Amino acid sequence: MAPPSAGEVRQLLRRAGRLGGDARGLIAEYGKAVADVRSALEPVRERQARAELGAIPVSRLKDVTGGGLRLTALEEAGYSTVLSVLDATPYELQKLPGVGPKTRWQAQSAAQQIARAARESGTVHIDVERQDAETTRLLVALHGLVAAGPELSRARRTAQALEQRLKALVPDARSLGRWWRRLLTGGKRRARAEQAVERIAELLAEETETRLLLAQATTDLLRPPPDATQAWIDFELHSADYYNLLAELSALAPLDRAAAEGFLPDDLAERVRRQELDDTRRRVSLRGYQAFGARFAIVQQRVILGDEMGLGKTIQAIAVLAHLHARGTTHSLVVCPASTLINWVREIEARSTLGAFRLHGDRRDLARSAWLERGGIAVTTFDGLHRLAPSPQVGMLVVDEAHYVKNPEARRSRAVAGWCDQVARVLFMTGTPLENRVEEFRSLVGYLQPDLRPKVAAGAQAFRRAVAPVYLRRNQEDVLTELPGLVHVDEWEEFSTADADAYREAVESSRFMAMRRAAYAVPEKSAKLERLRELVDEAAVTGLKVVVFSYFRDVLASVADSLGPSIHGPISGDLAPERRQHVVDAFTEAPGHAVLLAQIQAGGVGLNLQAASIVIICEPQVKPTLESQAVARAHRMGQVRRVQVHRLLTPDSVDERMLRILHAKTVLFDTYARRSDLAESTPDAIDISDQSLAHQIIQEEQQRLAGGPAHGR
């Protein structure tokens, strides 16, 4: 093939110049937008750092100076916080009796050191209840970048890569753009020039698509800024995107790396960090800990992602799927509860360019045929999985709420095990990898790494070391530091006379479930229900949304009758997935105050309820994970308000006895499945099955009501 003529080379260079100009234009506009964000961020960060310093006692200065600083004179003079010392002039401090030049210098140096740390590591909290001018300016600056959407990151990387490549190639290629330059170009230089022309032609092969990508991103960045009201409304709707962007720009200080990486061994963590993550088929930016989680699943291939509720496990799974499909995988399968199936399909379609096929309902056979023919992500339920024969075409299996297959003898567990045997890459997702027995966790590990299961020791520390290659967990408190506060309030309400009569009858007849809901047996005289109405009325005054959880349908029916016809739900186990999502959407989109009712075993799984900032739990649950899952549906990434959790309880009743045992179960979970280094203990020491729990409580309550001794455990 003949080399291009001088005219063809000049035409190629003109096209490259236009493409390079587009790239430089996007880089410049992005740089301006980032500079605006950082400029707006500084006063917000400074204000929040000063508030933090104002809460730090002056005694903390000793920690910085090794304990040798004498602070008595400062404290006696009213300098009680680090901020007060920081703001004082040298003259003001040194004129105090007992404060010499050395003490003054040490105190202020220590205060400045703490102040620097506060500014560098402090997390920016955006409070929707405090819409001041400084924070508004920050949101307006962020809005342009958020509104540009997930394609901005890809466009920016494309622009940077283009600029670097063209900057290196164009000077060499110019020597072939004029006939006289060709004559003066030596052999080696001519070969380099021909190679540069060839590389430029390759870059221009998708010129139209690339220019469109760059032009759209640049246009998005040039949109006029929103007004203050629009900026705050958009933040409430997309707060996770705003915080993700702050993290991506390194505007927020880096989190504790060890916590963000699940406290994995150093050698494993380093291998995970080195893993490249292809985002060409992904349409969402990741937090640092989310990118690490996706890389962990790619490197280790068969893993349990056990992140606490609300940390974006679905996003991480989609990032893994997008990476694999960008690198050649054609088919993947997601297995989930029916209640989360619609959400999975929505998230795949919104967060990636992958096709999602719903293998459920009347059209599942057509969807299965389309998936097998076209490739993409099939989504099915646990009950539907046994209808699918394991296929070698499937490159990855994702199992959501994997604790559903903790019992190896169940049909759905056997179906999942069969697929695990045939698929090389498997991702189990669960925020509750064990509930009552550590053996359940061992079962999950056994599906993925059969050789690892026998090595799992009983002691907590040994257990966590053994499962590190297969298990990654991060907690909200470690990685989502911008989340607003979570306030737990135990609402203790004495039985009314009617409640007490119903409770005594349930105890005498040994009906455990009747004991648990006796406080609602006579709704018009229920003390708990009266308190629930008060809490809902308070939320209505402030325009806050409320979600009410109970294990029992009849309790929710009583709540519905008490609150009137304006409530949403209830969400129950037999509600069709489509209807369930419709109820949640209506609740979320309702203006101002609204109330959603949900069975805790149904509403606590697979739903995003961050529109709610008040959570009411009608009675304690047998499994602590039921409550934590339910709360995490509201207190999760995207929540912009402080979440208040009100648990309705009755003293001297089944409630009080259950709480004691729930605490023991929570300790078991923390010991084995969280990262905290608690004392080692054997799982059998505090394992209590549901049946034995009920029997124990009934006996204790019968003895108490009969006037005999009630021995607690």
Side-chain angles (χ1 to χ4, degrees):
M1 182 177 178
S5 66
E8 290 172 331
V9 171
R10 290 197 301 274
Q11 175 67 19
L12 197 71
L13 290 174
R14 281 194 291 271
R15 290 168 56 198
R18 289 193 295 269
L19 188 60
D22 291 346
R24 289 189 296 275
L26 173 58
I27 292 170
E29 291 303 325
Y30 179 79
K32 291 178 185 176
V34 171
D36 288 344
V37 169
R38 289 180 174 152
S39 174
L41 177 65
E42 283 312 305
V44 176
R45 172 176 279 165
E46 178 67 20
R47 185 187 67 213
Q48 294 187 2
R50 286 182 61 80
E52 181 180 344
L53 294 172
I56 299 175
V58 72
S59 58
R60 288 287 301 278
L61 297 178
K62 289 184 178 180
D63 298 338
V64 179
T65 59
L69 183 61
R70 291 183 302 228
L71 298 171
T72 303
L74 292 175
E75 292 171 330
E76 290 177 348
Y79 291 91
S80 58
T81 67
V82 171
L83 182 63
S84 63
V85 174
L86 186 70
D87 286 346
T89 66
Y91 170 75
E92 289 171 336
L93 293 183
Q94 204 162 313
K95 74 178 183 179
L96 297 175
V99 177
K102 182 179 179 181
T103 299
R104 190 275 306 166
W105 180 84
Q106 286 180 327
Q108 291 202 300
S109 296
Q112 290 166 0
Q113 188 173 337
I114 293 175
R116 282 194 298 271
R119 294 187 188 100
E120 292 169 3
S121 63
T123 301
V124 173
H125 295 277
I126 299 175
D127 185 356
V128 295
E129 306 300 336
R130 180 179 177 177
Q131 300 185 11
D132 57 88
E134 292 172 339
T135 308
T136 299
R137 180 187 167 212
L138 174 60
L139 291 184
V140 169
L142 285 167
H143 179 273
L145 292 167
V146 171
E151 291 298 305
L152 176 59
S153 293
R154 186 164 71 92
R156 181 170 54 86
R157 286 192 297 274
T158 299
Q160 290 172 333
L162 272 173
E163 186 187 34
Q164 292 174 359
R165 295 287 290 147
L166 292 175
K167 188 176 181 179
L169 295 172
V170 167
D172 287 337
R174 283 201 180 107
S175 61
L176 299 183
R178 299 291 178 182
W179 65 267
W180 54 271
R181 284 183 177 171
R182 291 188 174 212
L183 294 177
L184 298 176
T185 302
K188 289 184 179 180
R189 188 178 174 189
R190 186 185 183 92
R192 192 166 67 247
E194 290 175 349
Q195 188 178 48
V197 169
E198 184 178 344
R199 296 288 182 269
I200 292 173
E202 291 173 357
L203 289 175
L204 294 174
E206 299 180 354
E207 178 184 7
T208 301
E209 180 182 342
T210 302
R211 292 196 69 186
L212 182 62
L213 174 68
L214 300 180
Q216 183 61 58
T218 304
T219 301
D220 288 338
L221 290 174
L222 290 171
R223 288 176 180 172
D227 61 28
T229 301
Q230 290 174 322
W232 278 101
I233 290 174
D234 194 65
F235 171 72
E236 289 203 43
L237 294 174
H238 307 106
S239 63
D241 293 334
Y242 280 79
Y243 280 117
N244 284 352
L245 183 57
L246 282 172
E248 185 180 324
L249 296 177
S250 298
L252 293 175
L255 297 165
D256 178 358
R257 173 185 272 191
E261 296 178 353
F263 298 88
L264 293 180
D266 291 342
D267 57 339
L268 174 56
E270 181 57 34
R271 290 201 305 274
V272 173
R273 290 184 211 116
R274 291 199 300 265
Q275 171 64 46
E276 183 181 352
L277 192 58
D278 194 319
D279 67 349
T280 55
R281 305 209 64 180
R282 171 162 45 89
R283 300 184 60 218
V284 60
S285 59
L286 303 178
R287 302 290 286 269
Y289 74 88
Q290 291 174 330
F292 185 87
R295 291 186 173 100
F296 176 78
I298 294 167
V299 169
Q300 296 301 96
Q301 299 192 19
R302 301 169 69 86
V303 299
I304 302 170
L305 181 59
D307 285 349
E308 192 172 16
M309 296 289 174
L311 294 185
K313 291 189 290 294
T314 301
I315 296 285
Q316 294 174 68
I318 291 173
V320 176
L321 293 168
H323 170 92
L324 295 176
H325 281 252
R327 298 298 176 90
T329 296
T330 57
H331 296 74
S332 294
L333 177 65
V334 173
V335 185
C336 61
S339 61
T340 67
L341 186 142
I342 292 177
N343 190 62
W344 264 104
V345 172
R346 285 185 177 184
E347 288 293 289
I348 292 168
E349 293 174 344
R351 310 294 187 178
S352 75
T353 61
L354 304 172
F357 299 86
R358 179 182 166 189
L359 308 192
H360 185 67
D362 296 338
R363 301 175 64 85
R364 61 174 172 265
D365 292 336
L366 289 175
R368 180 177 178 275
S369 298
W371 169 57
L372 292 174
E373 179 183 347
R374 303 176 199 168
I377 315 298
V379 186
T380 191
T381 64
F382 286 106
D383 290 338
L385 183 63
H386 74 278
R387 299 189 186 96
L388 297 174
S391 170
Q393 288 181 281
V394 174
M396 184 169 192
L397 171 69
V398 176
V399 181
D400 191 16
E401 305 292 350
H403 52 279
Y404 279 31
V405 297
K406 64 193 177 188
N407 178 8
E409 303 304 318
R411 185 177 74 166
R412 61 188 174 194
S413 300
R414 294 196 300 270
V416 168
W419 274 87
C420 288
D421 289 342
Q422 298 297 318
V423 178
R425 293 182 179 274
V426 182
L427 173 60
F428 280 6
M429 297 164 50
T430 172
T432 55
L434 80 165
E435 290 176 337
N436 294 331
R437 299 178 182 273
V438 174
E439 185 59 32
E440 295 169 1
F441 195 10
R442 291 194 178 96
S443 295
L444 298 186
V445 173
Y447 293 123
L448 304 176
Q449 301 283 356
D451 294 339
L452 181 62
R453 189 179 186 278
K455 301 175 185 177
V456 174
Q461 293 177 1
F463 183 90
R464 288 193 299 276
R465 286 195 299 269
V467 300
V470 73
Y471 177 62
L472 177 67
R473 179 179 176 86
R474 280 75 57 88
N475 301 312
Q476 280 192 0
E477 63 189 24
D478 293 324
V479 296
L480 274 194
T481 53
E482 79 275 5
L483 265 184
L486 178 64
V487 179
H488 287 270
V489 181
D490 284 346
E491 304 278 355
W492 292 96
E493 298 295 326
E494 296 281 354
F495 276 142
S496 69
T497 302
D499 297 337
D501 290 343
Y503 183 71
R504 180 177 290 275
E505 181 182 346
V507 172
E508 290 173 351
S509 58
S510 299
R511 292 182 296 142
F512 182 63
M513 291 303 189
M515 291 165 57
R516 292 183 60 198
R517 60 185 188 272
Y520 302 93
V522 187
E524 60 273 16
K525 298 181 180 180
S526 168
K528 278 190 178 182
L529 200 51
E530 182 178 354
R531 179 55 182 153
L532 187 149
R533 285 194 298 267
E534 291 173 354
L535 293 170
V536 171
D537 289 343
E538 290 172 7
V541 171
T542 52
L544 299 178
K545 286 185 166 65
V546 181
V547 57
V548 179
F549 288 111
S550 175
Y551 185 85
F552 304 102
R553 294 189 189 190
D554 56 353
V555 170
L556 292 177
S558 296
V559 173
D561 290 342
S562 177
L563 296 181
S566 60
I567 54 93
H568 297 262
I571 292 175
S572 58
D574 61 356
L575 194 65
E578 296 89 344
R579 178 59 184 162
R580 182 179 307 199
Q581 191 61 53
H582 176 75
V583 170
V584 173
D585 290 345
F587 170 72
T588 301
E589 295 164 7
H593 171 70
V595 180
L596 173 68
L597 307 184
Q599 273 191 288
I600 199 165
Q601 62 272 44
V605 175
L607 298 177
N608 296 330
L609 301 175
Q610 60 262 47
S613 55
I614 306 292
V615 177
I616 301 175
I617 301 176
C618 291
E619 72 285 320
Q621 305 303 312
V622 172
K623 298 175 181 179
T625 51
L626 274 179
E627 291 192 14
S628 61
Q629 284 179 346
V631 172
R633 292 302 156 198
H635 193 247
R636 61 191 296 116
M637 189 185 304
Q639 180 57 261
V640 296
R641 289 181 171 83
R642 184 179 67 173
V643 175
Q644 300 177 41
V645 181
H646 299 267
R647 185 162 51 175
L648 303 179
L649 304 166
T650 303
D652 296 324
S653 74
V654 60
D655 292 356
E656 195 163 6
R657 299 196 181 279
M658 286 181 66
L659 290 184
R660 185 180 65 248
I661 302 175
L662 284 174
H663 175 71
K665 289 189 176 186
T666 303
V667 169
L668 172 67
F669 179 83
D670 285 343
T671 303
Y672 283 86
R674 291 171 71 97
R675 53 88 176 171
S676 54
D677 291 323
L678 303 180
E680 294 192 10
S681 61
T682 61
D684 294 334
I686 48 177
D687 172 47
I688 304 171
S689 69
D690 296 351
Q691 290 182 344
S692 66
L693 181 151
H695 181 67
Q696 170 195 335
I697 291 176
I698 289 171
Q699 282 191 324
E700 291 179 354
E701 285 298 277
Q702 287 176 341
Q703 290 173 343
R704 184 182 66 82
L705 292 178
H711 299 291
R713 203 186 233 186

